[in-house]
Amino acid sequence: MPHSRLSVARQIGHFGVLAAALSCLLFTRLPAQLAFERNFNGPDTIWKLVDNGTPATILSQDSLAAGARDQAGSERIVAAAPAGESLLLEAPIARVAVLPELQIRLWVKSDRPSVQLAAKVALPRSSDPGSGLPATAIVRGATYTQPGHWQQLTLTDIPELLAARIRVMRTTPGAAIDARQAFVNAVLLVIPGEPQGVEVLTDELEVDGVLLANAEQIQLTSHPAAAPPAAAVREATAVRLHGDLLLVDDRPFVPRVIEWQGEPLAFLAERGFNAVKLPGRPTDEQISEAQRHGLWFVCLAPRPQALTRDAIGRSGDRILAWLLDDEAIEADPNYAYRWVELVRQRDAVAGRPILMAPDIDWTAAGKSADILAARHPVLSRVSSADFDRWLADRPRWMRPGTPLWATFATQFGEAAQQQIATLSASALVPPAIDASQLDSLVRTACTRSVRGFIFQSDSSLSEPDAATRARAAALELINRRLQLIEPWLAGGKVIGRVASSDGAWTGVVLHVDRARLLVPLPAAADETASQVSTPTAPRTTSDVMFLVPGIPESSQGYAFSAAALRTLPLQRVAGGTRVVLPSAADALAVITEDPQVINSLRQRIHRDGAQVVRLRRDLAAQRTTLMANTAARLTQLGHNNDAAARGGAAVNAQLRQVDVLLAGGRLEPAFELLSSVDSLLEQLATDARRSIAAPRAFESNPLALSYEQLADYAAFQQSCDAFRSGDNVLYGGDFEDLGQMTQFGWRHFQNPLPGVQSLVELSATEPKHGRYCLRLQSTATATNPDLVVDERATVWVVSPPVPVVDGQLIEISGWVRVDERIDGQGLAIIDSLGGPELSLAIGETSDWQPFHMVRAAPESTELRLTFALSGLGSAAIDAVMVRTLEQPIARRLPSATLPQSR
């Protein structure tokens, strides 16, 4: 049974949401080396037009500078053929045997869907009965479905596809087809006919398999890595690791990295970032600008084949670390090791750290990389409590002493944005995750020894629209807080966690040198049932008391925020030292014997305090405007918004008070008042959500992700009564007959892990409906009962494809039961339209619980469901249905647009 070392959610993220990818690609293990690779970097073009009887022509063909995942290049071709016909393009490759491990992968970008990857198979023991020449067969793979975007197409299961094709060929009179010794010698693209031409870009052709004798082989070891020129002396890097402490010019450094999307580097430095992630090596202009603004770069390392030809890096290029990011790393640890060694050999600056962001195989990545970055598969929707548990589990899989960085999405992924746009019938998609969600997750990471922060960004932060300005302001506020506590982030150790006297808060104590930092966090509530996090701090006007053990008697206490620092009385009591914080939502406490620590804090607050207060005030004003607009739209839909109106008036009154305080230079009371404003805004948002629909335990509706979409969500909920549910089109989802399920196309997969036994069965034990339910289970073997497994899916089930039509509204529902908590992701329910970001992760339930997912088909395609179990435990699923809701999207959401202001 084919299997994978990648997590289910990440696999879907990498390979897209195609049904074919789910069933054929998702769980296929990659070989250690590529049999053949072509990069389309030019200057020569590769694709040739094949004469297949269709009158076709190539209108344009050239090489471009940018590629699928780097700036190295790609090939562009525009070809025309009559409508209703198709044309073939051919790229020759080395001869690769048709064996089960053969895979072909190609990155494609086109202005039209339905471009298909195929391969030409030579049959040397057969002759074409018409021409007498050696026979050939064409086998077809994945189809392109994302116009305007790069998508990796894959061709797998080639022996099975060839066998099916040969059965057809043998029906030709006089044909005697022998499949033995078959090999692939060309990759094909099947392009739908269009008289005006179809534009197709291609990049990174990769073929995994076994080359035949005397065939040209392109692999990592085919060209020994050349040493740097004899005259060159490799410069030692200014960046080095001392344990998990990152030093730049021998000073502690906490990276605050933003993904570059064309912004001026000066703008990013002003937002508080000190490093920029680039898709390749920096230009001379970028290096010069980074030098002026104190910025560093995290750069994607060239792929291994490029490294065999060219040296990388140079003195003074300000590269902080090389990032190695490729799904093949997870499938083959040896690939990662060889890549790391090539980077080290070919880098002109010796000793630069190498960064990897593993999804599953942390142990293998840690053996090669110097730094590991954690990226949660559904970060935009994870609760703070679940994120805290997930981060706390990372060191279990890491080599001791390896620094941990964390990656944070600042915008919704492509699938989520597409779902929001389609469901709301609007092109205006919120580009940013709620600022409170992002702030809560970053604050949590600060208490888990995270040494670096990477912020993902898909569009420029310098755009002038209000949503982008709000995202930039939120990120700058986060950066200013990170700068304020940088000494503890760089090298601090978590030495304890203490509960507040009222149990509403948890105080995390970090220690560095002779200074302790107390960070208050909302106490972890039972958030296992919540699939959309709404992280809000407890509302309190009273002081919050912590009892902190182990504080030396000579220590002094101080409460501080971004705008103020004041003395904090400490009281010795039985069991420790009583620390009372006046404003737990924003204030931190530092307890130290070193006056230099306080002097440094005071200087930072004096330098940045006014800017932080103004940023926070502007962000609160933008949120207030959004709240007012949303309330007006909800009123048009018939909702009573008297409470929101009163709350909005109160917020505006408080903001006017903030402006008066700022005009008088009174930063501290202005900052404290803004804390009250933020709490009130959060409460109003929470109340508005609850007034629209009571939260359900396991629900995935893209319109519920963001407050900006709340009016659309309300309109959707209001229209639910008018929906006419169609028939269930998912055959076998009742899990009553194994033979029927197999006939319909249900498939199950297992990932054999040492010490783990997995099974999939139809269970008669307390089903929700009928006689049976589907049960997935993984247990430790008797020889290793204390085994702890990582997050690799041990067993999963994939549904048959369900055709969906462009514009259809789809409801996915069912029942799930997880009696005992499963560590890690537990049971993941993933649909191919929403992908991992909109998936449900279920760690535990109370008896049988319903799950519900709403999706819209942005185009005609196929929908598949995947039920995947990671970790040790058992999960049951029953009565799964996929139904169409029969009301057109245009009528589904009543118009609630505000009139244009004049």
Side-chain angles (χ1 to χ4, degrees):
M1 184 67 69
H3 62 276
S4 170
R5 299 171 66 88
L6 296 184
S7 70
V8 174
R10 183 65 175 170
Q11 279 273 10
I12 294 177
H14 275 311
F15 294 122
V17 295
L18 291 176
L22 279 168
S23 61
C24 300
L25 273 180
L26 191 55
F27 311 104
T28 303
R29 185 173 184 148
L30 299 177
Q33 294 181 339
L34 295 176
F36 184 91
E37 184 177 20
R38 192 180 293 281
N39 55 33
F40 298 97
N41 290 347
D44 297 328
T45 57
I46 307 301
W47 294 104
K48 306 296 182 185
L49 187 63
V50 177
D51 183 5
N52 64 339
T54 297
T57 183
I58 294 179
L59 303 179
S60 175
Q61 186 173 10
D62 54 3
S63 295
L64 301 181
R69 291 185 289 179
D70 56 32
Q71 300 298 314
S74 59
E75 183 169 332
R76 171 183 175 274
I77 187 168
V78 180
E85 302 286 345
S86 61
L87 61 91
L88 292 180
L89 297 178
E90 177 183 286
I93 65 171
R95 298 190 302 164
V96 186
V98 175
L99 297 173
E101 55 263 44
L102 174 57
Q103 286 190 9
I104 300 173
R105 297 183 294 277
L106 177 69
W107 285 90
V108 172
K109 180 179 180 181
S110 178
D111 58 357
R112 284 280 305 276
S114 303
V115 175
Q116 189 173 24
L117 178 65
K120 184 170 73 175
V121 182
L123 303 170
R125 299 173 65 94
S126 308
S127 298
D128 186 293
S131 64
L133 298 174
T136 61
I138 293 176
V139 295
R140 301 191 179 202
T143 300
Y144 180 81
T145 61
Q146 302 177 20
H149 300 277
W150 282 106
Q151 178 182 344
Q152 190 181 47
L153 303 183
T154 306
L155 177 55
T156 59
D157 296 334
I158 295 177
E160 291 83 357
L161 295 173
L162 178 61
R165 181 61 188 156
I166 286 176
R167 286 193 294 271
V168 176
M169 295 171 65
R170 285 173 176 162
T171 62
T172 301
I177 306 299
D178 186 347
R180 289 177 292 174
Q181 299 179 2
F183 60 89
V184 172
N185 60 4
V187 174
L188 304 175
L189 277 179
V190 184
I191 300 177
E194 167 57 54
Q196 303 303 317
V198 176
E199 181 185 55
V200 180
L201 283 74
T202 60
D203 196 15
E204 293 186 7
L205 170 62
E206 297 175 340
V207 181
D208 289 324
V210 178
L211 288 177
L212 297 178
N214 301 322
E216 177 189 4
Q217 185 168 8
I218 300 177
Q219 56 183 2
L220 296 182
T221 57
S222 61
H223 302 289
V233 177
R234 298 185 75 196
E235 175 188 323
T237 178
V239 182
R240 65 184 180 91
L241 288 170
H242 181 69
D244 67 349
L245 178 64
L246 181 66
L247 299 174
V248 175
D249 293 327
D250 292 324
R251 295 181 179 180
F253 189 88
V254 178
R256 301 181 299 275
V257 187
I258 183 66
E259 205 164 358
W260 185 65
Q261 297 295 343
E263 305 94 332
L265 296 186
F267 174 87
L268 298 177
E270 291 169 358
R271 306 284 82 75
F273 296 103
N274 59 9
V276 178
K277 178 184 171 185
L278 297 180
R281 287 163 280 186
T283 64
D284 290 342
E285 182 181 356
Q286 288 173 326
I287 293 170
S288 177
E289 190 177 359
Q291 178 75 43
R292 290 196 301 272
H293 299 289
L295 290 172
W296 292 80
F297 298 109
V298 173
C299 299
L300 284 172
R303 304 296 285 275
Q305 185 174 351
L307 287 170
T308 62
R309 300 188 303 267
D310 306 316
I312 60 172
R314 57 189 174 92
S315 175
D317 57 14
R318 299 190 68 80
I319 295 177
L320 184 75
W322 292 107
L323 171 61
L324 275 58
D325 193 8
D326 190 323
E327 56 264 26
I329 291 175
E330 299 276 3
D332 180 13
N334 290 327
Y335 177 80
Y337 174 79
R338 292 191 298 271
W339 195 359
V340 167
E341 288 305 302
L342 281 171
V343 172
R344 297 198 196 283
Q345 292 171 16
R346 303 298 287 157
D347 192 356
V349 179
R352 259 193 289 233
I354 292 177
L355 169 69
M356 289 186 190
D359 299 303
I360 287 298
D361 205 340
W362 284 69
T363 302
K367 291 179 180 178
S368 302
D370 303 305
I371 303 168
L372 297 182
R375 49 187 179 191
H376 194 282
V378 288
L379 188 72
S380 64
R381 300 172 58 240
V382 69
S383 69
S384 297
D386 284 340
F387 187 56
D388 182 66
R389 285 189 287 266
W390 185 80
L391 278 179
D393 199 44
R394 299 306 93 198
R396 182 189 302 183
W397 316 112
M398 296 168 60
R399 176 167 45 89
T402 303
L404 176 66
W405 295 6
T407 299
F408 301 88
T410 69
Q411 296 171 284
F412 295 114
E414 184 176 350
Q417 291 202 23
Q418 189 177 55
Q419 284 294 308
I420 293 171
T422 308
L423 280 167
S424 64
S426 169
L428 299 176
V429 179
I433 292 169
D434 283 341
S436 56
Q437 163 79 350
L438 183 60
D439 180 78
S440 177
L441 297 179
V442 173
R443 188 182 289 252
T444 298
C446 291
T447 66
R448 284 298 178 186
S449 300
V450 168
R451 305 300 191 204
F453 301 80
I454 303 174
F455 297 95
Q456 292 180 331
S457 177
D458 298 322
S459 61
S460 173
L461 278 173
S462 60
E463 294 296 324
D465 61 279
T468 301
R469 292 201 313 271
R471 182 164 66 104
L475 288 171
E476 183 174 353
L477 283 172
I478 288 172
N479 283 333
R480 299 304 177 193
R481 184 187 301 118
L482 295 178
Q483 287 177 290
L484 196 60
I485 61 174
E486 189 166 17
W488 291 274
L489 298 177
K493 304 296 182 184
V494 176
I495 60 172
R497 290 176 176 254
V498 293
S500 65
S501 57
D502 62 1
W505 298 85
T506 296
V508 183
V509 184
L510 289 82
H511 180 264
V512 62
D513 294 332
R514 294 191 299 165
R516 287 171 170 81
L517 177 71
L518 176 64
V519 181
L521 296 175
D526 181 10
E527 299 182 72
T528 57
S530 176
Q531 291 298 316
V532 179
S533 174
T534 54
T536 58
R539 296 186 67 193
T540 178
T541 57
S542 60
D543 295 341
V544 181
M545 190 273 286
F546 297 95
L547 188 62
V548 183
I551 295 178
E553 291 188 14
S554 58
S555 296
Q556 300 294 316
Y558 298 84
F560 70 97
S561 67
L565 184 145
R566 66 174 71 168
T567 302
L568 188 68
L570 303 178
Q571 183 182 2
R572 284 275 181 183
V573 296
T577 299
R578 179 178 292 158
V579 180
V580 180
L581 281 174
S583 177
D586 297 288
L588 304 171
V590 60
I591 305 166
T592 183
E593 303 169 275
D594 187 353
Q596 183 59 39
V597 173
I598 304 305
N599 290 335
S600 177
L601 273 176
R602 186 173 286 114
Q603 290 172 7
R604 285 182 179 272
I605 293 169
H606 178 74
R607 183 190 65 194
D608 296 335
Q611 172 67 2
V612 168
V613 175
R614 291 189 183 93
L615 272 173
R616 196 170 178 186
R617 188 266 175 216
D618 291 345
L619 191 58
Q622 288 177 321
R623 293 179 65 191
T624 303
T625 300
L626 172 62
M627 184 188 70
N629 291 338
T630 299
R633 293 184 65 194
L634 291 174
T635 300
Q636 290 184 352
L637 292 170
H639 288 263
N640 185 341
N641 281 290
D642 292 343
R646 290 192 299 270
V651 167
N652 283 320
Q654 289 177 322
L655 287 176
R656 287 193 293 270
Q657 294 179 43
V658 168
D659 291 339
V660 172
L661 292 170
L662 283 175
R666 301 177 62 192
L667 297 182
E668 184 174 355
F671 189 86
E672 292 177 354
L673 188 55
L674 283 169
S675 296
S676 175
V677 169
D678 287 344
S679 295
L680 181 53
L681 286 170
E682 289 293 338
Q683 188 61 49
L684 290 171
T686 300
D687 292 345
R689 285 188 174 102
R690 289 174 177 169
S691 70
I692 292 169
R696 289 199 274 189
F698 304 114
E699 180 174 21
S700 175
N701 187 324
L703 295 179
L705 288 177
S706 168
Y707 183 80
E708 292 190 45
Q709 240 50 53
L710 191 61
D712 287 334
Y713 181 54
F716 176 86
Q717 292 295 117
Q718 200 174 80
S719 301
C720 282
D721 294 339
F723 291 156
R724 291 186 303 105
S725 296
D727 295 332
N728 178 25
V729 292
L730 178 65
Y731 299 118
D734 54 0
F735 306 116
E736 294 295 314
D737 189 318
L738 180 60
Q740 283 188 351
M741 289 178 63
T742 302
Q743 181 180 0
F744 291 143
W746 287 85
R747 303 175 66 185
H748 89 271
F749 301 83
Q750 290 179 314
N751 183 5
L753 299 177
V756 177
Q757 292 180 333
S758 299
L759 66 85
V760 176
E761 65 176 0
L762 298 186
S763 172
T765 304
E766 299 183 12
K768 179 62 181 177
H769 292 287
R771 297 176 301 162
Y772 299 99
C773 62
L774 178 68
R775 188 164 76 99
L776 286 68
Q777 177 176 300
S778 292
T779 57
T781 59
T783 58
N784 196 2
D786 299 324
L787 177 70
V788 177
V789 301
D790 56 25
E791 293 174 333
R792 282 175 282 188
T794 54
V795 60
W796 58 93
V797 172
V798 180
S799 77
V802 175
V804 293
V805 179
D806 181 13
Q808 273 187 332
L809 185 66
I810 298 137
E811 178 186 50
I812 303 165
S813 62
W815 292 81
V816 63
R817 180 172 181 168
V818 182
D819 290 328
E820 296 184 6
R821 182 166 187 85
I822 304 173
D823 291 334
Q825 295 183 28
L827 177 69
I829 303 177
I830 310 156
D831 71 283
S832 56
L833 292 178
E837 189 175 11
L838 299 181
S839 65
L840 297 175
I842 303 172
E844 187 177 9
T845 69
S846 174
D847 201 15
W848 283 100
Q849 294 290 328
F851 69 86
H852 186 257
M853 309 168 84
V854 173
R855 300 290 183 263
E859 61 188 3
S860 297
T861 183
E862 292 180 334
L863 166 71
R864 285 183 189 262
L865 301 179
T866 298
F867 303 92
L869 185 68
S870 64
L872 300 179
S874 175
I877 305 103
D878 204 359
V880 179
M881 295 190 293
V882 175
R883 295 180 293 181
T884 59
L885 301 178
E886 301 298 337
Q887 196 169 358
I889 290 178
R891 293 174 52 202
R892 183 172 67 254
L893 298 181
S895 174
T897 304
L898 288 174
Q900 294 281 342
S901 59
R902 295 177 183 246

